[in-house]
Amino acid sequence: MPAYCPIAGTCHTLLAFPFRMPDDPEILGRCPDCDESISRVWLLVEYETDDGDTGLWAECPDCDDVVAPE
Ligand SMILES: [Zn+2]
């Protein structure tokens, strides 16, 4: 356990966070296959559904596959 850490639980939470390049703060959703958060930089297509909702297709950085973020 790091000596500089006053609260072990907080440190563990921070350490568990995946180390990666800073993501765009705007998260589209999660990959239905692997549960990876997909940010807007991975957005491929944005379209309007029959219901008037906005549908999304994005590339999952983990699966390297095109998915609909949930
Ligand atoms: Zn995925």
Side-chain angles (χ1 to χ4, degrees):
M1 186 187 306
Y4 57 81
C5 177
I7 308 168
T10 302
C11 264
H12 286 172
T13 303
L14 291 173
L15 288 171
F17 195 78
F19 183 77
R20 61 184 59 190
M21 296 290 287
D23 277 333
D24 187 313
E26 195 167 358
I27 300 295
L28 298 174
R30 287 180 173 278
C31 173
D33 294 329
C34 69
D35 211 33
E36 175 80 7
S37 292
I38 301 175
S39 63
R40 186 161 276 276
V41 295
W42 297 95
L43 178 64
L44 297 174
V45 180
E46 198 168 3
Y47 63 95
E48 189 167 320
T49 66
D50 294 338
D51 304 333
D53 289 333
T54 302
L56 298 172
W57 291 108
E59 187 177 337
C60 174
D62 214 42
C63 304
D64 283 333
D65 208 356
V66 176
V67 299
E70 296 183 335

